[in-house]
């Protein structure tokens, strides 16, 4: 083992180099070139593939320096022996390799190549290889952390959606049990008064009160359906059909529904995602599209559920899709991911918009089976 402190303060850690070289003379030349570069380093020379494997396992180097052609093997064989994720920078220092072979070696992942004729550049090449390696490792670590963060965010979004649906169901039950019951009782009392009074002024007030009461009952029913789509108990097609009819009645926009099958029966979790996607899309259309026609298409062809909502309105500007507070559409993306699907939004300004939910039903059924057994 050779150690050099040239050009560096004692507080700096030396660069630990493993030199795969069968020639002591060439090893000495490499050491001299590194000393002249001012690098602080420690270096160990090994000659055989076995010694190389042992050295990399027992004390992993910061950088590997290797001759290309050695007795019975090449540097590429040594490179192949290294664990992929733990490979340090690997620099070829050889005079017995052509340019084409050097390029091929670099394409295989080896960091760089220095001809023994240009050994004076060795220190600079090693430092550059180390800098690149650190950047790659940092990026890899950041990618892993980003993927973990995205996974946690997706899990939180799924939990949030589940919590929201639970709260919606609870509110819908309260409306049905408390407000709905009270409104029904008031309606019965008004009917009783109407039957037992012949006063025309009272009858006029009763008719007005009954009309307002019916509006309140209709509103409570509509709110309950929006909060908890109990109509999904009758199937996805019935629920989407109810949405389309209600939307057309409320907005006056002609709305058509087409389906590939009258017997759509995806898992309950997928039905809810499909329903909420259509609901959110129709809400956005009523607010922003300025259209006079909406088309909904349902299909479960080839084991894939597809829900498409298309309008002929003014379209969605790109900046609207990308704005930070586009929580409605972003929520639809997260809902789709939660059941193994995805959402596509396409639009051209002035030429309408299309929102397509796609969910492979095989994946959804497997996920549902796993949840039922967990």
């Amino acid at each position: 083992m050779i150690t050099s402190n040239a050009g560096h303060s004692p507080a700096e850690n030396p660069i630990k180099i493993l030199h795969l070289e069968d020639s002591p003379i060439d090893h000495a030349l490499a050491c001299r070139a590194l000393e002249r570069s001012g690098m602080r380093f420690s270096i160990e020379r090994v000659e055989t593939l076995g010694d190389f494997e042992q050295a990399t396992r027992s004390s992993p180097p910061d950088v590997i320096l290797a001759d290309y052609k050695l007795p019975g093997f090449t540097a590429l064989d040594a490179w192949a022996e290294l664990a992929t994720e733990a490979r340090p920078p690997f620099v070829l220092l050889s005079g017995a390799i052509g340019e084409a072979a050097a390029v091929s070696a670099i394409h295989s992942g080896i960091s760089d190549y220095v001809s023994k004729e240009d050994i004076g550049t060795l220190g600079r090449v090693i430092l550059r290889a180390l800098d690149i390696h650190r950047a790659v490792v940092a990026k890899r670590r950041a990618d892993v952390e980003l993927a973990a963060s995205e996974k946690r965010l997706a899990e939180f979004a799924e939990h949030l959606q589940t919590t929201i649906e639970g709260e919606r169901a609870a509110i819908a039950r309260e409306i049905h049990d408390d407000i709905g019951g009270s409104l029904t009782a008031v309606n019965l009392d008004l009917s009783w008064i109407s039957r037992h009074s012949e006063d025309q002024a009272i009858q006029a007030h009763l008719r007005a009160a009954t009309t307002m009461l019916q509006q309140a009952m209709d509103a409570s029913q509509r709110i309950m359906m929006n909060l908890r789509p109990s109509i999904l108990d009758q199937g996805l097609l019935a629920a989407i059909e109810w949405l389309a009819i209600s939307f057309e009645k409320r907005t006056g926009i002609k709305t058509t529904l087409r389906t590939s099958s009258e017997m759509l029966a995806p898992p309950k979790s997928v039905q809810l995602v499909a329903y909420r996607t259509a609901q959110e899309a129709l809400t956005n259309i009523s607010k922003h599209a300025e259209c006079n026609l909406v088309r909904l298409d349902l299909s479960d062809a080839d084991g894939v559920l597809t829900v498409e909502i298309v309008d002929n309105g003014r379209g969605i500007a790109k900046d609207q899709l990308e704005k930070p507070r586009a929580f409605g559409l972003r929520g639809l993306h997260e809902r789709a991911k939660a059941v193994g699907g995805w959402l596509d939004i396409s639009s051209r300004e002035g030429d309408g918009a299309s929102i397509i939910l796609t969910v492979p039903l095989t994946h959804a059924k497997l996920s549902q089976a796993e949840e039922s057994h967990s």
Side-chain angles (χ1 to χ4, degrees), residues 29-30 32-34 36-38 93 114-125:
L29 290 173
R32 188 175 303 169
L34 293 174
R36 287 176 177 172
S37 72
L93 175 62
V114 178
S115 168
K116 289 183 177 179
E117 296 178 356
D118 297 323
I119 199 169
T121 64
L122 182 59
R124 185 169 68 251
V125 170

Side-chain angles (χ1 to χ4, degrees), residues 24-286:
I25 295 175
D26 287 346
H27 174 67
L29 290 173
C31 293
R32 188 175 303 169
L34 293 174
E35 289 170 353
R36 287 176 177 172
S37 72
M39 179 186 294
R40 184 168 183 258
F41 66 95
S42 65
I43 189 166
E44 177 185 2
R45 183 174 73 90
V46 294
E47 297 185 18
T48 68
L49 196 55
D51 290 342
F52 174 81
E53 293 172 0
Q54 183 177 355
T56 54
R57 282 197 303 268
S58 62
S59 182
D62 297 320
V63 63
I64 294 171
L65 189 62
D67 194 359
Y68 181 75
K69 192 172 183 180
L70 298 112
F73 67 101
T74 70
L76 296 182
D77 297 318
W79 172 251
E81 291 296 325
L82 296 171
T84 303
E85 294 183 357
R87 284 172 172 170
F90 195 111
V91 177
L92 291 178
L93 175 62
S94 178
I97 180 174
E99 183 177 345
V103 171
S104 177
I106 290 173
H107 283 168
S108 72
I110 285 176
S111 305
D112 213 329
Y113 163 69
V114 178
S115 168
K116 289 183 177 179
E117 296 178 356
D118 297 323
I119 199 169
T121 64
L122 182 59
R124 185 169 68 251
V125 170
I126 287 178
L127 292 176
R128 182 177 63 200
L130 282 166
D131 286 342
I132 293 173
H133 179 70
R134 291 188 191 104
V136 169
V137 169
K139 182 181 182 303
R140 190 182 299 132
R141 186 181 300 115
D143 289 343
V144 170
E145 291 174 356
L146 178 61
S149 176
E150 289 178 345
K151 184 175 183 294
R152 289 193 298 270
L153 181 61
E155 290 171 349
F156 174 73
E158 184 177 354
H159 170 72
L160 185 61
Q161 292 293 349
T162 301
T163 302
I164 289 172
E165 291 296 342
E167 291 179 350
R168 282 175 165 175
I171 294 170
R173 283 193 297 270
E174 288 185 16
I175 291 174
H176 179 271
D177 297 341
D178 297 338
I179 298 176
S182 298
L183 291 175
T184 301
V186 170
N187 192 38
L188 291 172
D189 285 341
L190 290 177
S191 298
W192 186 91
I193 294 171
S194 178
R195 289 195 305 270
H196 292 80
S197 174
E198 296 181 358
D199 187 290
Q200 294 302 312
I202 291 176
Q203 289 292 332
H205 282 291
L206 284 172
R207 285 192 295 272
T210 301
T211 299
M212 287 187 290
L213 179 62
Q214 188 59 51
Q215 290 174 352
M217 294 174 72
D218 291 342
S220 67
Q221 286 291 326
R222 185 176 67 254
I223 292 169
M224 282 191 295
M225 289 295 293
N226 286 333
L227 287 171
R228 182 183 180 276
S230 58
I231 195 170
L232 277 173
D233 296 337
Q234 301 176 36
L236 179 60
L237 180 58
I240 299 296
E241 186 176 18
W242 178 84
L243 269 181
I245 293 171
S246 301
F247 176 79
E248 183 174 77
K249 183 179 179 180
R250 187 174 71 256
T251 64
I253 300 171
K254 181 175 177 56
T255 306
T256 64
L257 172 63
R258 298 186 305 184
T259 180
S260 65
S261 170
E262 298 290 330
M263 302 297 292
L264 290 167
K268 292 292 185 182
S269 58
V270 176
Q271 290 189 40
L272 183 58
V273 169
Y275 179 89
R276 291 300 187 199
T277 299
Q279 185 182 45
E280 179 70 21
L282 291 175
T283 299
N284 285 339
I285 288 171
S286 67

Side-chain angles (χ1 to χ4, degrees), residues 295-344:
R295 188 184 81 246
L296 293 94
D297 289 318
L298 291 178
S299 170
D300 62 353
D302 301 322
V304 177
L305 177 70
T306 304
V307 181
E308 182 175 9
I309 306 97
V310 182
D311 69 73
N312 66 346
R314 63 179 184 176
I316 308 173
K318 185 177 180 181
D319 61 336
Q320 292 296 108
L321 291 173
E322 296 175 352
K323 68 179 183 179
R325 293 187 175 272
F327 295 124
L329 295 176
R330 197 159 297 155
L332 293 182
H333 281 284
E334 294 302 325
R335 282 182 180 272
K337 285 167 62 177
V339 292
W342 58 91
L343 195 77
D344 292 311

